[in-house]
C-alpha cells in the first residue's frame, strides 16, 4: 500500500562528532522499522525530551540520523495485529517512540501494537496531543498525590515548571478537581497566564528555592508536583506538611537533589518517582480516560499553540532557551 511513496519528516543528523543539523526532508517507508501498526500521524507535540533529542543529546537518542517526536496521534493505516484496523484513531506516546524509534515529527510511524492506545471517547486526535506525554505525565502525578491521600481539603499544593507542559497541565487538572494550586513562575513574569490556567497563587523561582541550607522549613504545602528537580524539589520536600507527598518527574533545572533524610524521618514525607515511559498499559488507558472525561481541562486553548512541521526547528530552540510556554502541537496533515 505504501509502495515507493515518500513522506515528510524532521531528520536530525550528526554531521561531525557532536555536531548536529536538523532539516525537514522526505523519508521513505523503508526507513521505518518493521513492526505491527503503521499510523498516519495527524498531530504530534513538542516535549522537553524531544528538544533534547533534536539537539543531539545521546542520553535520549543514541544513534543519528533520527526523527524525534515522543508523541503521535492519528489514524491506523495498516495493522498486522488484530487489535487494530485501518481507520482506527490512536495515540502513541513514550516507550521508545522518538528516542531510538523514528518518532512523531514525521507523517508516519510504525510501532509495536503494545504501544498503541485506542483514542478514548471524548478526545479528538488534536486534543490528545494538547495533552501529549506532558499531560499524561501530569495525570500520573495527580493520580499519585490522590493515592497518597493528598486531597484538596488537606491544604495548598505546589507545582513547579508550571509555565511548561507537564506543570501547566498539572495546574489545570488540580484546579479543576478542587485543589488550591500554588504555581511557581518561570524566569519571565507569567503570573496572569498561570492564573488563567487555574493557579490560585503564584510564587517566584527565588521564593521556591531556599538557599539557607536548613534541613526543614516551615510547612507550606500538603503536597507538590515537581518537574524541575534541584533546589526547587529539595525546598518543596522540606516545606511539605507532615504526612504529605511530593512527585518527581523531571530535571529541567537539575538532576541533583540537595537534601538529607530529615523531611522523611521527622515528617513522614513520601517522595514519588513518576515514569511515564514504562507505565503499564492498564494504567495508561485509565489515565487517558480520566484526561478525556473527569480530568478534562477547560483551559486547552489557552495553553496551546499549533505549528506546522516547517516551524518546528525554531520552537525547539525556543524550548531550549526557556522562551517557550505551555504546549506546542505540530500538525502533520494538510
Ligand atoms: N518522568 C517522566 O515520565 C517525564 C515525562 C515528561 C516530562 N518529563 C520531564 O519533566 C520536565 C518538564 O518537561 P516539559 O515537557 O513540561 O518541559 P517544558 O514544557 O520545557 O517546561 C519546563 C519548565 O521548567 C522550567 N524550568 C526550566 N529550567 C528551569 C530552571 N533552571 N529552574 C527552574 N525552572 C526551570 C521552565 O520555566 P521557564 O518558564 O522559566 O522556562 C518550564 O516551566 C523535563 O525535565 C522532562 O524531561 C519527565
Amino acid at each position: 500500500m505504501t509502495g515507493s511513496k515518500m513522506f515528510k519528516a524532521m531528520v536530525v543528523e550528526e554531521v561531525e562528532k557532536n555536531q548536529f543539523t536538523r532539516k525537514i526532508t522526505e523519508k521513505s517507508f523503508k526507513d521505518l522499522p518493521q513492526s505491527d501498526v503503521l499510523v498516519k500521524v495527524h498531530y504530534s507535540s513538542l516535549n522537553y525530551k524531544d528538544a533534547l533529542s533534536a539537539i543531539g543529546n545521546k542520553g535520549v537518542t543514541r544513534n543519528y540520523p533520527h526523527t524525534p517526536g515522543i508523541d503521535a496521534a492519528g489514524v491506523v493505516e495498516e495493522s498486522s495485529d488484530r487489535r487494530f484496523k485501518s481507520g482506527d484513531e490512536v495515540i502513541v506516546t513514550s516507550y521508545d517512540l522518538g528516542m531510538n524509534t523514528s518518532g512523531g515529527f514525521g507523517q508516519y510511524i510504525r510501532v509495536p501494537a503494545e504501544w498503541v492506545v485506542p483514542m478514548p471517547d471524548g478526545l479528538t486526535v488534536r486534543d490528545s496531543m494538547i495533552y501529549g506525554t506532558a499531560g499524561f505525565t501530569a495525570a500520573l502525578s495527580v493520580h499519585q498525590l490522590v493515592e497518597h491521600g493528598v486531597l484538596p481539603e488537606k491544604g495548598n499544593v505546589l507545582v513547579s515548571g508550571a509555565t511548561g507542559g507537564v506543570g501547566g497541565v498539572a495546574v489545570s487538572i488540580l484546579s479543576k478537581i478542587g485543589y488550591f494550586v500554588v504555581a511557581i513562575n518561570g524566569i519571565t513574569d507569567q503570573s496572569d497566564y498561570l492564573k488563567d490556567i487555574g493557579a490560585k497563587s503564584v510564587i517566584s523561582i527565588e521564593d521556591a528555592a531556599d538557599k539557607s541550607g536548613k534541613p526543614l522549613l516551615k510547612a507550606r504545602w500538603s503536597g507538590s508536583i515537581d518537574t524541575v528537580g534541584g533546589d526547587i524539589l529539595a525546598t518543596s520536600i522540606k516545606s511539605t506538611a507532615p504526612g504529605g507527598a511530593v512527585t518527581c518527574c523531571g530535571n529541567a533545572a537539575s538532576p541533583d537533589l540537595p537534601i538529607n533524610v530529615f523531611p522523611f524521618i521527622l515528617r513522614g514525607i513520601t517522595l514519588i518517582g513518576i515514569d511515564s515511559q514504562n507505565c503499564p498499559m492498564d494504567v495508561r488507558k485509565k489515565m487517558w480516560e480520566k484526561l478525556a472525561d473527569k480530568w478534562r481541562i477547560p483551559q486547552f486553548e489557552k495553553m496551546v499553540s499549533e505549528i506546522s512541521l516547517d516551524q518546528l526547528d525554531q520552537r525547539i530552540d525556543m524550548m531550549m532557551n526557556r522562551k517557550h510556554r505551555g504546549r506546542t502541537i505540530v500538525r502533520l496533515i494538510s
Side-chain angles (χ1 to χ4, degrees):
M1 180 179 184
T2 47
S4 57
K5 259 174 41 186
M6 304 289 278
F7 63 91
K8 259 174 97 176
M10 169 174 276
V11 174
V12 183
E13 265 185 278
E14 186 166 18
V15 282
E16 267 179 53
K17 194 167 166 41
N18 294 326
Q19 277 202 28
F20 296 84
T21 59
R22 46 183 191 254
K23 61 176 183 246
I24 308 302
T25 184
E26 297 267 300
K27 261 177 95 160
S28 154
F29 283 86
K30 288 193 220 85
D31 297 332
L32 294 177
Q34 286 304 314
S35 204
D36 311 325
V37 187
L38 178 72
V39 179
K40 179 170 184 171
V41 182
H42 290 200
Y43 280 95
S44 181
S45 88
L46 179 61
N47 296 276
Y48 193 73
K49 211 183 216 177
D50 300 318
L52 293 177
S53 172
I55 62 165
N57 184 307
K58 298 239 170 132
V60 177
T61 300
R62 284 187 305 275
N63 299 311
Y64 294 86
H66 172 64
T67 296
I70 63 170
D71 286 343
V75 174
V76 171
E77 195 140 311
E78 291 171 1
S79 173
S80 59
D81 185 287
R82 287 195 312 175
R83 283 168 286 184
F84 299 99
K85 60 177 187 326
S86 168
D88 287 349
E89 289 189 344
V90 293
I91 305 170
V92 185
T93 65
S94 60
Y95 295 104
D96 191 49
L97 186 72
M99 293 181 69
N100 292 290
T101 299
S102 187
F105 294 168
Q107 290 174 313
Y108 285 87
I109 56 169
R110 200 186 276 124
V111 293
E114 286 68 34
W115 296 5
V116 182
V117 176
M119 188 67 62
D121 287 343
L123 278 192
T124 64
V125 169
R126 182 177 183 275
D127 292 344
S128 72
M129 287 294 99
I130 299 179
Y131 286 127
T133 289
F136 176 68
T137 306
L140 282 174
S141 307
V142 173
H143 173 68
Q144 286 297 340
L145 284 191
V146 173
E147 290 287 294
H148 281 78
V150 180
L151 302 175
E153 59 273 21
K154 294 272 177 73
N156 300 357
V157 165
L158 182 70
V159 179
S160 68
T163 50
V166 182
V169 179
V171 165
S172 297
I173 297 174
L174 288 166
S175 129
K176 172 163 186 178
I177 59 179
Y179 287 83
F180 188 104
V181 186
V182 180
I184 302 176
N185 200 4
I187 35 174
T188 57
D189 181 11
Q190 299 288 347
S191 39
D192 288 345
Y193 165 75
L194 292 169
K195 287 183 179 159
D196 229 19
I197 63 167
K200 286 277 189 319
S201 166
V202 176
I203 63 171
S204 67
I205 292 181
E206 293 70 36
D207 188 13
D210 177 73
K211 301 278 186 214
S212 72
K214 290 181 183 167
L216 284 171
L217 298 164
K218 183 173 167 243
R220 296 170 80 184
W221 327 115
S222 62
S224 73
I225 290 181
D226 184 76
T227 69
V228 300
D231 287 332
I232 291 179
L233 172 57
T235 305
S236 73
I237 295 170
K238 294 180 197 177
S239 313
T240 298
V246 175
T247 66
C248 156
C249 75
N251 59 354
S254 166
D256 296 331
L257 181 53
I259 198 166
N260 61 31
V261 298
F262 288 118
F264 306 106
I265 64 173
L266 298 181
R267 287 190 181 161
I269 307 302
T270 304
L271 177 60
I272 310 161
I274 303 292
D275 172 13
S276 63
Q277 191 182 349
N278 300 299
C279 177
M281 189 47 90
D282 55 334
V283 182
R284 204 173 270 266
K285 284 183 176 162
K286 195 167 140 190
M287 291 302 109
W288 278 110
E289 275 156 23
K290 277 188 184 281
L291 287 168
D293 183 19
K294 286 203 175 71
W295 291 359
R296 188 187 171 89
I297 57 171
Q299 294 91 345
F300 262 164
E301 296 304 329
K302 293 177 178 163
M303 217 177 270
V304 70
S305 70
E306 179 172 328
I307 61 166
S308 66
L309 202 49
D310 296 317
Q311 294 165 302
L312 184 55
D313 187 54
Q314 190 198 13
R315 279 298 156 120
I316 290 166
D317 287 338
M318 283 167 70
M319 184 167 261
M320 290 318 297
N321 293 319
R322 297 180 68 179
K323 292 196 163 71
H324 183 265
R325 188 178 84 177
R327 297 279 299 138
T328 289
I329 55 171
V330 187
R331 187 179 164 89
L332 289 121
I333 46 164
S334 40

